């Protein structure tokens, strides 16, 4: 049987969730071939429909809803998980400021665009943002993933927590990323894959020490303290099942982005 390509990032939350699935430790309806890539690369690939099963920023999902559907398991939503805007010191106004961003298809960039206008985005890979800000090549940086825990090491200060901003405005958790399946796989296979992702996460919860070497092999930050802080922050009950509240959060994000012309509208169902 032909293997199904599964794309996810090397960040600890993804490698934690998919460890068991990637190593054949849980039952899957089809063999799986792992493709590890930066999330913005996966976002761009999804615009082409390249991978049948892939991690994606919710902002990118908003552009491919006709082709993909989100699984209920494996996603990243929550409270206290937002992207941060950092700089070397206080900034008066973002208008005209160069801001390093981790990609135009990321949820982080979508949130910053909802927050304010007039800044000048400079698109770079997420792990290059803090060094750029520290060197003064840009006025600010929009950081994601484990950078949330390490930016003080670069002498940077937090200007804005976009997760806090979102939660205060909406009262909802912040949607960051989801696991998407191409709709042409068919509902039966997609539901079976959703179950496999959930089993993989349950395995990780039951065997965290077994999972750790895989996390360390791919993480940008090798400190076990930072790795587990990352996992605790981004892997939660919404990762097992997005739930009603999580679904309402995604619907709110898309509605606000559509109203501002930042995402196209679509009537395709968001989840299984």
């Amino acid at each position: 049987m032909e293997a199904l390509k599964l794309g996810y990032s090397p960040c600890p939350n993804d490698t934690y969730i998919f460890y068991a699935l990637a190593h054949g430790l849980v039952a899957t309806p089809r063999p799986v071939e792992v493709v590890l890539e930066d999330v913005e690369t996966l976002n761009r690939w999804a615009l082409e429909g390249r991978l049948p099963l892939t991690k994606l920023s919710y902002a990118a999902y908003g552009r491919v809803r006709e082709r993909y559907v989100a699984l209920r398991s494996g996603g990243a939503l929550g409270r206290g998980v937002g992207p941060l805007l950092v700089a070397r010191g206080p900034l008066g106004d973002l208008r005209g400021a160069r801001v390093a961003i981790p990609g135009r298809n990321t949820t982080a960039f979508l949130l910053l665009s909802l927050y304010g206008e007039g800044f000048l985005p400079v698109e770079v890979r997420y792990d290059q943002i803090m060094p750029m800000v520290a060197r003064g090549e840009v006025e600010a940086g929009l950081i994601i993933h484990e950078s949330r825990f390490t930016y003080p090491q670069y002498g940077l200060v937090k200007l804005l927590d976009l997760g806090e901003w979102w939660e205060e405005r909406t009262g909802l958790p912040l949607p960051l990323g989801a696991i998407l399946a191409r709709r042409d796989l068919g509902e039966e296979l997609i539901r079976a894959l959703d179950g496999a992702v959930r089993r993989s996460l349950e395995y990780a919860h039951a065997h965290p020490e077994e999972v750790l070497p895989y996390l360390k092999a791919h993480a940008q930050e090798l400190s076990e303290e930072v790795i587990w802080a990352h996992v605790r922050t981004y892997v939660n009950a919404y990762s097992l099942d997005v739930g009603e509240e999580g679904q309402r959060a995604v619907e709110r994000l898309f509605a606000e982005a559509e109203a501002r012309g930042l995402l196209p509208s679509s009537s395709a169902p968001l989840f299984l």
Side-chain angles (χ1 to χ4, degrees):
M1 187 181 297
E2 184 180 357
L4 199 66
K5 288 189 177 180
L6 162 64
Y8 56 89
S9 84
C11 295
N13 59 306
D14 283 350
T15 49
Y16 181 87
I17 289 171
F18 288 110
Y19 167 81
L21 198 153
H23 291 82
L25 300 171
V26 293
T28 58
R30 291 262 297 272
V32 169
E33 178 185 337
V34 170
V35 179
L36 282 174
E37 281 290 350
D38 169 69
V39 69
E40 182 62 358
T41 299
L42 296 174
N43 288 340
R44 291 196 301 268
W45 285 359
L47 298 175
E48 308 167 8
R50 185 180 299 192
L51 298 180
L53 192 62
T54 183
K55 174 69 176 286
L56 221 60
S57 299
Y58 269 111
Y61 180 27
R63 298 181 174 93
V64 296
R65 280 177 279 179
E66 302 299 322
R67 178 175 273 169
Y68 285 92
V69 64
L71 304 187
R72 304 196 66 82
S73 299
L77 300 88
R79 302 180 188 274
V81 301
L84 305 180
L85 188 68
V86 299
R88 290 182 295 171
L91 290 181
D93 191 339
L94 280 183
R95 287 190 174 275
R98 295 167 299 171
V99 180
I101 64 165
R104 292 180 179 272
N105 296 302
T106 60
T107 308
F109 180 62
L110 178 62
L111 287 167
L112 189 60
S113 300
L114 288 170
Y115 172 81
E117 301 173 336
F119 62 91
L120 305 175
V122 179
E123 195 170 2
V124 297
R125 202 174 68 187
Y126 81 94
D127 58 336
Q128 298 173 359
I129 292 176
M130 292 188 297
M132 284 187 70
V133 180
R135 291 192 299 265
E137 296 173 11
V138 291
E139 282 72 53
L142 185 59
I143 60 173
I144 57 176
H145 302 326
E146 58 264 55
S147 301
R148 180 182 182 88
F149 309 103
T150 58
Y151 69 89
Q153 298 173 15
Y154 290 80
L156 305 178
V157 298
K158 178 177 68 175
L159 302 179
L160 172 69
D161 185 324
L162 283 162
E164 289 181 0
W165 172 77
W166 170 264
E167 290 170 41
E168 287 171 2
R169 287 176 63 252
T170 68
L172 294 167
L174 175 65
L176 292 174
I179 308 303
L180 272 69
R182 260 199 342 244
R183 294 181 189 270
D184 62 9
L185 294 177
E187 184 176 345
E188 182 179 356
L189 177 55
I190 292 173
R191 289 191 181 279
L193 290 167
D194 187 47
V197 172
R198 183 182 179 111
R199 288 191 295 275
S200 185
L201 175 52
E202 289 171 338
Y203 185 97
H205 284 336
H207 306 88
E209 293 307 314
E210 178 186 335
V211 175
L212 181 59
Y214 185 60
L215 274 58
K216 293 179 74 172
H218 298 290
Q220 291 288 332
E221 171 59 57
L222 294 179
S223 160
E224 290 186 17
E225 181 181 358
V226 170
I227 287 173
W228 287 126
H230 183 115
V231 171
R232 287 192 301 270
T233 299
Y234 295 103
V235 181
N236 50 41
Y238 297 108
S239 303
L240 281 171
D241 190 299
V242 66
E244 181 182 342
E245 185 179 50
Q247 187 162 333
R248 282 193 289 113
V250 177
E251 291 168 351
R252 174 70 178 269
L253 178 66
F254 284 179
E256 291 200 13
E258 288 169 15
R260 292 275 299 275
L262 299 171
L263 286 178
S265 60
S266 172
S267 59
L270 292 176
F271 294 91
L272 289 176

